[in-house]
Amino acid sequence: DTITLTEDTTLYALWTVGADNCTVTVDPAPIIMTGQGAGQEPAVTVKAGNKTLTKGTDYTVSYSNNNKPGTAKVTVTLKGQYYGTLTAYFHIADFDADAEPWGVVPPQEGQTATVTLKGYLDGVDVTDDVRWELFGSDYTGVTLSGNTLTISSQFTGDRVDFYGWYNNVNTGSFV
């Protein structure tokens, strides 16, 4: 169509940018699942060329398969002067604290039981990189040194709760 202007007029053009000219990156910080089942939602950065776009104004974000260890998906839906959809994936590592043996019966008078605490990240032993802590306060007869838990006959509780901290993420477990 042809438009004929009869007086001085200012024309404006609105340029839109498609997804093929945009990128999405997921925060590279390690994501560790602790068995709690909470959805993991790492930060994303969306760019059109060198311009960083604004969440809520230029795009929305949704996550899927992000509540268990494995590969999770981020979907970015562009809006405003941007159009299209971007997809990125991120890995959720599985951190598991283990104790060998589980279910230690309080030892007989004058004896002790020793439990070795282990930490696994995606099945790989990371025990040496885990910081272990007792959780709770009434553990008379229980000591924790490194990853060795010693339970004496003075212990009268029914279980010992502990945390294994790996990369500032914890998992609660008990023996």
Side-chain angles (χ1 to χ4, degrees):
D1 290 330
T2 301
I3 299 174
T4 304
L5 303 175
T6 58
E7 57 187 66
D8 288 345
T9 305
T10 302
L11 298 176
Y12 297 93
L14 176 63
W15 301 102
T16 59
V17 178
D20 55 339
N21 293 310
C22 297
T23 59
V24 59
T25 55
V26 179
D27 183 344
I31 299 169
I32 301 170
M33 182 62 69
T34 63
Q36 299 166 4
Q40 305 297 309
E41 297 183 353
V44 298
T45 301
V46 181
K47 290 189 171 190
N50 291 328
K51 180 183 179 188
T52 300
L53 304 186
T54 303
K55 182 178 177 182
T57 302
D58 301 320
Y59 66 91
T60 60
V61 181
S62 62
Y63 297 86
S64 58
N65 201 34
N66 62 330
N67 62 349
K68 62 184 181 235
T71 301
K73 180 179 175 181
V74 177
T75 302
V76 173
T77 304
L78 299 169
K79 63 183 204 172
Q81 80 177 78
Y82 305 94
Y83 64 92
T85 303
L86 300 166
T87 303
Y89 297 89
F90 61 96
H91 178 72
I92 300 174
D94 183 20
F95 179 68
D96 182 38
D98 196 3
E100 298 169 2
W102 276 105
V104 173
V105 176
Q108 300 296 320
E109 184 67 33
Q111 296 182 347
T112 60
T114 302
V115 178
T116 303
L117 305 179
K118 296 279 192 175
Y120 298 94
L121 186 66
D122 284 340
V124 176
D125 188 337
V126 293
T127 301
D128 293 340
D129 299 320
V130 176
R131 179 173 44 91
W132 302 98
E133 292 180 1
L134 291 176
F135 178 71
S137 59
D138 188 20
Y139 291 123
T140 301
V142 177
T143 58
L144 176 62
S145 177
N147 70 319
T148 302
L149 190 64
T150 304
I151 304 170
S152 77
S153 58
Q154 296 172 345
F155 177 64
T156 58
D158 59 353
R159 71 185 223 180
V160 176
D161 294 309
F162 64 90
Y163 281 124
W165 291 84
Y166 182 83
N167 199 28
N168 295 321
V169 175
N170 72 46
T171 182
S173 297
F174 66 92
V175 181

